[in-house]
Amino acid sequence: VISVIGTISVLPFASCFTATTTVRSLALSNHHKSFFSTKATGSDETELQSSLTSASSRIEDCKRTLINQCNSHKLESGYSSSIDSSIRNLEQLGEDLGFGQASSVSGLLSGEWELIYASDDITRSSPFFWAFRRAFPDNSDQIFGITDAIPEPIKMVGPATQEIDLDSSSRGTFVSRVKVATLGGVATSIMTTRATIMGAEGVDGLRLKVETTKPEESTILKKLGPLGELISSNSQPFPSGEALEKVAPGSSEIVMVTTYLDEGLRVTRNKDRSDDDVFVWVRVGEFSGGNTASL
């Protein structure tokens, strides 16, 4: 069992959508449907724009508070009551105002994401560990506790990233990568779990099926030169999903619920442990500024 620690990062905050984009999206929000019940007059449009600006500002302020807290919190420290409170505030505010909703169908999940907060050990951000809990419900905490207790510098992990490729039918691929270092960084590798996205579960959930797990980019093998490259390229990934299915049929399938999502920020929960397992991710690269999406 591999422990994972993601790297904390703070991404800049971009301005909100233009009025045209936001008005189109806001039409989907029950909170603002009354604005569209009759033909808008000039005063109606002014009131609508003012409402949109106020709602967006409240969301951006809530996001800024959350990410600043994550930046100040050591990722490997796990649960933080203040961060948990900010996460719940963002989730509730997004639901009330119609921002960051319908993650399974919004088209914003695809891309690469980096972990900045985990309520438990960082390894729990990987779908493999969610599936492992399902296969070993009575013993998983004890097993996890053994490796969680290994101190630095014997064990160091991070960053943790996820790459999601989702099509219009909410199907696709999911890759979890975690850098693991041992012996003071002498030996490192990236533990990679691959899963199939089987489809949407409601408007905010995705059903994943864990397929394989494999250590990649091993520095030990790289030191062997061409021989190490040959070994690495011919090494087959471990069929972790199949192994879990033999222990408990159905355990390789888990549901990832994304309770808030925009172009730069994602809040994800494990459906089996929605009150305990919560993770905050920021997008890597394009759109990493985090524009607020109203749905």
Side-chain angles (χ1 to χ4, degrees), residues 3-284:
S3 295
V4 185
I5 300 177
T7 300
I8 300 175
S9 64
V10 176
L11 299 177
F13 291 87
S15 59
C16 300
F17 279 162
T18 62
T20 301
T21 303
T22 312
V23 169
R24 173 188 60 77
S25 300
L26 196 55
L28 299 176
S29 170
N30 291 330
H31 183 74
H32 296 292
K33 280 185 177 178
S34 60
F35 284 110
F36 298 90
S37 59
T38 60
K39 183 177 179 179
T41 64
S43 60
D44 290 333
E45 292 177 354
T46 300
E47 183 180 357
L48 174 58
Q49 185 59 49
S50 176
S51 176
L52 296 176
T53 301
S54 175
S56 296
S57 295
R58 291 172 65 190
I59 290 290
E60 290 298 326
D61 288 344
C62 195
K63 288 168 52 181
R64 186 174 295 108
T65 297
L66 173 59
I67 292 188
N68 285 341
Q69 288 176 323
C70 291
N71 185 50
S72 301
H73 178 74
K74 293 182 66 175
L75 186 56
E76 60 271 26
S77 299
Y79 176 80
S80 162
S81 59
S82 60
I83 292 178
D84 184 73
S85 178
S86 293
I87 290 172
R88 294 181 186 276
N89 287 341
L90 178 61
E91 291 172 328
Q92 187 62 58
L93 190 61
E95 182 178 347
D96 291 344
L97 300 178
F99 286 87
Q101 304 301 293
S103 59
S104 299
V105 295
S106 68
L108 296 175
L109 270 172
S110 291
E112 184 178 2
W113 300 85
E114 184 170 355
L115 186 68
I116 62 170
Y117 172 76
S119 59
D120 201 338
D121 187 87
I122 310 309
T123 60
R124 312 312 184 259
S125 67
S126 169
F128 167 78
F129 289 92
W130 299 10
F132 191 91
R133 280 192 187 275
R134 291 175 62 83
F136 300 95
D138 298 327
N139 302 316
S140 58
D141 285 338
Q142 181 179 2
I143 295 171
F144 293 159
I146 295 173
T147 55
D148 291 349
I150 300 175
E152 295 185 11
I154 299 175
K155 177 203 69 179
M156 296 180 292
V157 293
T161 62
Q162 291 180 348
E163 188 174 337
I164 302 172
D165 186 3
L166 199 63
D167 63 21
S168 58
S169 64
S170 297
R171 297 176 181 272
T173 58
F174 186 102
V175 183
S176 169
R177 294 186 175 93
V178 180
K179 185 176 181 180
V180 180
T182 57
L183 303 177
V186 174
T188 66
S189 63
I190 297 178
M191 301 307 300
T192 304
T193 294
R194 300 180 185 274
T196 298
I197 303 174
M198 303 176 68
E201 292 271 329
V203 296
D204 60 2
L206 289 178
R207 179 168 291 276
L208 277 60
K209 182 177 178 60
V210 173
E211 302 287 356
T212 63
T213 302
K214 178 184 178 181
E216 300 178 348
E217 300 183 25
S218 168
T219 55
I220 295 296
L221 291 179
K222 286 181 179 180
K223 291 177 180 179
L224 298 178
L227 176 59
E229 294 180 8
L230 179 64
I231 295 173
S232 178
S233 61
N234 286 278
S235 175
Q236 296 299 311
F238 175 68
S240 51
E242 180 180 336
L244 292 172
E245 284 291 322
K246 290 180 179 179
V247 174
S251 61
S252 67
E253 294 185 18
I254 54 91
V255 176
M256 179 184 76
V257 178
T258 299
T259 54
Y260 181 87
L261 172 69
D262 62 29
E263 286 147 317
L265 183 69
R266 170 165 68 97
V267 177
T268 295
R269 293 179 181 270
N270 175 0
K271 185 178 180 180
D272 287 342
R273 292 165 49 88
S274 59
D275 290 334
D276 300 313
D277 291 352
V278 57
F279 309 93
V280 180
W281 303 82
V282 289
R283 188 184 297 276
V284 176

